[in-house]
Amino acid sequence: MPKLDESLLTGLPPFSLLDRAQIREILDQAVSRRYDEGTAIFREGHDADRFYLLLDGYLRVIRSTPGGEQIIVLHISPGQLFGIAPALQRDTYPATAIAAAESIALSWPVRVWDDFITRYPGFATESYKTLGQRLGQIQETLTEMATQAVEKRVACALLRMVHQSGRKSDKGIEIAFPVTRQNISDMTGTTLHTVSRLLSAWQKDGIVESTRKHIVVTDPHALVVLSEA
Amino acid sequence: MPKLDESLLTGLPPFSLLDRAQIREILDQAVSRRYDEGTAIFREGHDADRFYLLLDGYLRVIRSTPGGEQIIVLHISPGQLFGIAPALQRDTYPATAIAAAESIALSWPVRVWDDFITRYPGFATESYKTLGQRLGQIQETLTEMATQAVEKRVACALLRMVHQSGRKSDKGIEIAFPVTRQNISDMTGTTLHTVSRLLSAWQKDGIVESTRKHIVVTDPHALVVLSEA
DNA sequence: CGCAATTTTGATTTTGCTCAAAATGAGTGG
DNA sequence: CCACTCATTTTGAGCAAAATCAAAATTGCG
């Protein structure tokens, strides 16, 4: 394997306080791997033997029920740590991570976690900050799921994806990874049918434009209004 | 204020590895306070200036929506740390804590958190373990909310309370703190009407017995069956 | 081109909410 | 001790949102 370039980590929050030599040390212990769209990086309940950093692509973090249904708990964007079970003293992963688009991630064996925490200033702080943000996000989603009607939930889900991965296109803001109606229904606890109907209606109103697995929000403000109505 | 007795903390997970002198140190920095039923210990969005340990009673952790609705995210039992925003590098509390029954809690200023983490072996580990368990619980609730029908969600909510605080009585297992129909609907994202109807039906079937603010599960197994149906 | 995955749409059914009102119980103050 | 008030609980009726059932249409890919 070729040596990984130090610029990969420079400036990323968990490593921003470190010097070149420290980043070198960290990279030398890392394994880099590519994941095709749809591939699992790790699965719920499995042995948490590594922790990860997403370099490129997008992930879905999902949980499944005994009944075979699944829900998407959150998405991971480039630069974020994930699978950090060791930070919480867990020995199995609490959810499954799936590549939503072709992705590249670094990973380290959990046994170096404590080392990272003690040796590298800022690493612990940033990791726990990430965790705190994620806990907050999940609580937010839970509250939304418990109190809001389907239409608002779907609007919120779209807005979350836009905020996390939106990039300008000529028509509006497009979501940077493939998303199906089924995916959106897994994020919002509804059915693909209902999502399809909502998107069709919004398209007619000029709020979104979508082709298969690809969504552009043409009127974000209108969507915000819907999400708060 | 009288000195707090060392036996209060002895054996509790976050402090189980510590000797008498260390526990003394910790207690000498603590403030103990009683909270009447219904009182807020801290509120969502407020300055996270202290962290807490529940000595006695039960708490509800709630989040409110702009629309005035609220949901109960989880319950806290005696012996648990709570309000540990500093562990996640947050400077405001992400939720509100309300005494579900008369309660007593110790608290410390956040500035001693880092001290506790570095000076007292096992404290960090246990705190993060608590956090991990809580994250898992919330994910569980989210999944349930997104995929299960109201009847199952209410059955699960009852079972969770039974597991966390159940104590044997002559009739069955009783939930150790006051709970209203409204409370249960806030845990499950439904209405008090629906909860009332469910409890009435279950009472007729001999599964529960309830008076105002007080619930006894007389046939826990039947409830488990309902929660998995 | 044919296939499989995704999306759309219509019809029907069901769940659980809203609206409405009454019953019950617990605590308070006279 | 009793009357009164307020919170909690129960129950009924009607309705609406969204699920389910059922096809068909579309699209991208091999």
Side-chain angles (χ1 to χ4, degrees), chain A residues 14-15 18 26 51 81 113 116-117 120-128:
Chain A
F15 308 110
L18 307 185
I26 288 176
F51 62 95
L81 289 170
W113 177 268
F116 276 31
I117 290 287
Y120 304 124
F123 181 77
T125 304
E126 284 300 326
S127 303
Y128 287 118

Side-chain angles (χ1 to χ4, degrees), chain B:
Chain B
M1 179 155 54
K3 269 201 162 190
L4 298 161
D5 194 277
E6 287 147 31
S7 67
L8 285 174
L9 299 187
T10 321
L12 291 183
F15 309 110
S16 50
L17 296 180
L18 307 185
D19 61 33
R20 208 174 182 72
Q22 291 176 308
I23 289 186
R24 188 69 262 157
E25 274 173 22
I26 288 175
L27 279 172
D28 286 343
Q29 299 175 73
V31 170
S32 170
R33 209 188 131 184
R34 199 183 61 81
Y35 300 88
D36 282 326
E37 185 179 330
T39 316
I41 290 85
F42 53 77
R43 291 191 176 274
E44 184 177 344
H46 284 196
D47 233 42
D49 53 353
R50 305 186 73 81
F51 62 97
Y52 299 80
L53 176 81
L54 186 63
L55 287 179
D56 192 48
Y58 287 93
L59 307 185
R60 277 190 270 277
V61 175
I62 71 179
R63 283 187 56 116
S64 311
T65 64
E69 294 148 304
Q70 62 172 60
I71 79 138
I72 297 175
V73 178
L74 49 77
H75 286 104
I76 308 275
S77 321
Q80 293 197 289
L81 289 170
F82 66 100
I84 44 181
L88 299 170
Q89 307 295 125
R90 297 193 54 121
D91 51 0
T92 60
Y93 296 111
T96 298
I98 303 274
E102 187 182 327
S103 299
I104 299 172
L106 297 182
S107 72
W108 298 265
V110 289
R111 76 183 133 70
V112 304
W113 177 267
D114 289 336
D115 227 40
F116 277 30
I117 290 286
T118 51
R119 294 245 301 267
Y120 304 122
F123 181 78
T125 304
E126 285 300 325
S127 302
Y128 289 118
K129 193 181 280 182
T130 300
L131 229 31
Q133 286 162 352
R134 240 165 253 179
L135 186 63
Q137 265 175 58
I138 294 182
Q139 254 180 41
E140 193 72 35
T141 309
L142 176 65
T143 310
E144 190 184 298
M145 197 81 84
T147 63
Q148 308 301 317
V150 167
E151 185 178 39
K152 280 196 196 177
R153 301 209 301 269
V154 173
C156 285
L158 281 186
L159 286 173
R160 255 180 271 130
M161 289 189 282
V162 161
H163 284 136
Q164 188 165 15
S165 86
R167 53 187 180 206
K168 278 220 179 69
S169 78
D170 45 347
K171 292 286 193 175
I173 306 177
E174 73 177 337
I175 293 169
F177 51 89
V179 198
T180 66
R181 310 287 184 261
Q182 173 76 63
N183 292 152
I184 296 176
S185 70
D186 289 342
M187 297 174 65
T188 52
T190 179
T191 61
L192 75 164
H193 309 276
T194 299
V195 173
S196 176
R197 281 180 239 269
L198 284 171
L199 288 184
S200 295
W202 292 345
Q203 181 134 0
K204 207 156 45 191
D205 296 344
I207 299 175
V208 303
E209 240 166 77
S210 70
T211 57
R212 131 186 303 236
K213 288 193 174 195
H214 186 247
I215 297 177
V216 179
V217 177
T218 48
D219 186 349
H221 183 256
L223 207 54
V224 171
V225 171
L226 277 174
S227 76
E228 292 169 346

Side-chain angles (χ1 to χ4, degrees), chain A residues 34-228:
Chain A
R34 198 183 62 80
Y35 301 88
D36 282 326
E37 183 179 331
T39 316
I41 290 86
F42 54 76
R43 289 189 178 278
E44 184 176 345
H46 284 196
D47 234 44
D49 52 354
R50 305 187 72 81
F51 62 95
Y52 299 79
L53 177 81
L54 186 63
L55 287 180
D56 192 49
Y58 287 93
L59 307 184
R60 277 191 269 276
V61 175
I62 71 178
R63 284 186 57 115
S64 311
T65 64
E69 295 149 303
Q70 62 173 58
I71 79 139
I72 297 175
V73 178
L74 48 77
H75 286 103
I76 309 274
S77 322
Q80 292 197 289
L81 289 170
F82 67 99
I84 45 181
L88 300 170
Q89 307 295 122
R90 296 193 55 122
D91 50 1
T92 60
Y93 296 110
T96 298
I98 305 271
E102 189 183 324
S103 298
I104 298 173
L106 297 182
S107 74
W108 297 265
V110 289
R111 76 182 132 70
V112 305
W113 177 268
D114 288 337
D115 227 41
F116 276 31
I117 290 287
T118 50
R119 293 245 300 268
Y120 304 124
F123 181 77
T125 304
E126 284 300 326
S127 303
Y128 287 118
K129 192 181 280 183
T130 299
L131 230 31
Q133 286 161 351
R134 239 166 253 180
L135 187 63
Q137 264 175 57
I138 295 181
Q139 254 179 42
E140 192 72 35
T141 310
L142 176 66
T143 310
E144 189 184 298
M145 197 81 85
T147 62
Q148 308 302 319
V150 167
E151 186 177 38
K152 278 195 199 179
R153 302 208 300 270
V154 173
C156 286
L158 282 185
L159 286 174
R160 255 181 270 130
M161 290 188 282
V162 162
H163 284 136
Q164 191 166 13
S165 85
R167 54 188 179 203
K168 279 221 180 70
S169 78
D170 45 347
K171 291 287 193 176
I173 305 177
E174 73 177 337
I175 293 169
F177 52 88
V179 199
T180 66
R181 310 288 185 261
Q182 174 76 63
N183 291 153
I184 296 176
S185 71
D186 289 342
M187 296 175 66
T188 51
T190 179
T191 63
L192 75 163
H193 309 276
T194 299
V195 173
S196 175
R197 280 180 235 271
L198 285 172
L199 288 184
S200 296
W202 291 344
Q203 181 136 2
K204 205 157 47 194
D205 296 345
I207 299 174
V208 303
E209 240 166 80
S210 69
T211 58
R212 128 186 303 232
K213 287 192 173 195
H214 186 246
I215 297 177
V216 179
V217 177
T218 48
D219 187 350
H221 183 256
L223 207 56
V224 171
V225 171
L226 277 173
S227 77
E228 292 168 346

